Amino acid sequence: MGNAIKSAVCCLMSNNPKEETVQLLPQPARALLGIWFLLGCVPVFVTMFYNFVPSTEWISITRIPGLGVGLASAALVSWGILKALPTASSGMKKIIIVFSAPFIGYFLGKNAAVIAVPMILALIAGHQVELPFIVERADGNHTKRCRSPVELQGLPFFFDRVCRVPDDFRQRLNPGRRMVVIGRGTSLGVYPDSVRVD
């Protein structure tokens, strides 16, 4: 009885009464989600230093599954953001976070499913391959990430170009021309070393 009264008095005197913490996801699920989103970020970070081009065939095969995974990831990220944001917070910052969450989730989820797989396989089990592509544009402007680019048809943005192609070679490439990209990779994608006209 004395102990019960003592704990009740301590609770009343405390400014921060004990709050119950509820985990939204079990630890293994949170770890899997962390790995999944890390996989989604890997392609973006790798392409800052190395040029990688997924094969047109792989992109065609994974178009529908990639869309599904991207949408599921967009929903999951949006739900997580809404749960994490305090209900009292308001303002422009909250609006920007809530509206950008689905786009970030979609991009990361689709990258994890469609780009990370061939990219990692090319690093681990890659060998010298030659993959054919169709030129979309060969007169694009230089960017900090990609100098002297040749843009290719049917590939997702950010992974749709071969960089550092000599200007004299680019001048011979018209839209619709077939070009072979040579480098380390698999049938799913390649890290370009050289190019030739097919």
Side-chain angles (χ1 to χ4, degrees):
M1 184 73 173
N3 285 341
I5 293 169
K6 193 184 279 185
S7 64
V9 169
C10 284
C11 251
L12 287 172
M13 291 178 69
S14 171
N15 290 334
N16 297 319
K18 242 185 191 177
E19 293 179 6
E20 186 180 349
T21 303
V22 179
Q23 295 293 334
L24 298 176
L25 290 171
Q27 186 67 30
R30 281 187 286 156
L32 283 173
L33 280 175
I35 292 168
W36 181 253
F37 287 111
L38 182 63
L39 280 175
C41 292
V42 162
V44 177
F45 290 126
V46 169
T47 52
M48 289 179 182
F49 306 101
Y50 302 101
N51 190 197
F52 179 78
V53 184
S55 74
T56 310
E57 186 181 351
W58 170 253
I59 294 301
S60 177
I61 290 168
T62 58
R63 192 171 305 281
I64 301 300
L67 177 66
V69 170
L71 291 173
S73 294
L76 190 61
V77 168
S78 300
W79 174 79
I81 292 290
L82 288 172
K83 285 286 185 187
L85 281 174
T87 52
S89 66
S90 61
M92 188 55 102
K93 188 175 179 182
K94 182 178 179 180
I95 291 168
I96 291 169
I97 290 171
V98 168
F99 279 102
S100 62
F103 299 104
I104 294 168
Y106 178 83
F107 183 71
L108 291 178
K110 190 172 180 184
N111 273 355
V114 176
I115 306 295
V117 171
M119 188 177 268
I120 292 168
L121 281 175
L123 282 174
I124 295 170
H127 54 278
Q128 191 78 354
V129 296
E130 297 187 3
L131 297 180
F133 296 93
I134 304 296
V135 174
E136 173 94 17
R137 185 178 173 198
D139 59 352
N141 294 327
H142 305 269
T143 65
K144 193 180 281 189
R145 186 185 73 83
C146 186
R147 290 182 310 227
S148 302
V150 173
E151 297 174 30
L152 306 170
Q153 284 184 12
L155 299 179
F157 175 72
F158 211 67
F159 305 98
D160 61 346
R161 60 200 65 204
V162 177
C163 304
R164 297 181 186 87
V165 179
D167 285 334
D168 60 337
F169 185 85
R170 290 201 307 158
Q171 288 168 8
R172 305 192 334 243
L173 296 174
N174 300 320
R177 187 83 186 260
R178 194 174 159 95
M179 185 180 85
V180 174
V181 178
I182 305 158
R184 180 181 175 83
T186 66
S187 61
L188 307 182
V190 60
Y191 291 94
D193 286 332
S194 57
V195 292
R196 66 176 168 80
V197 174
D198 192 8

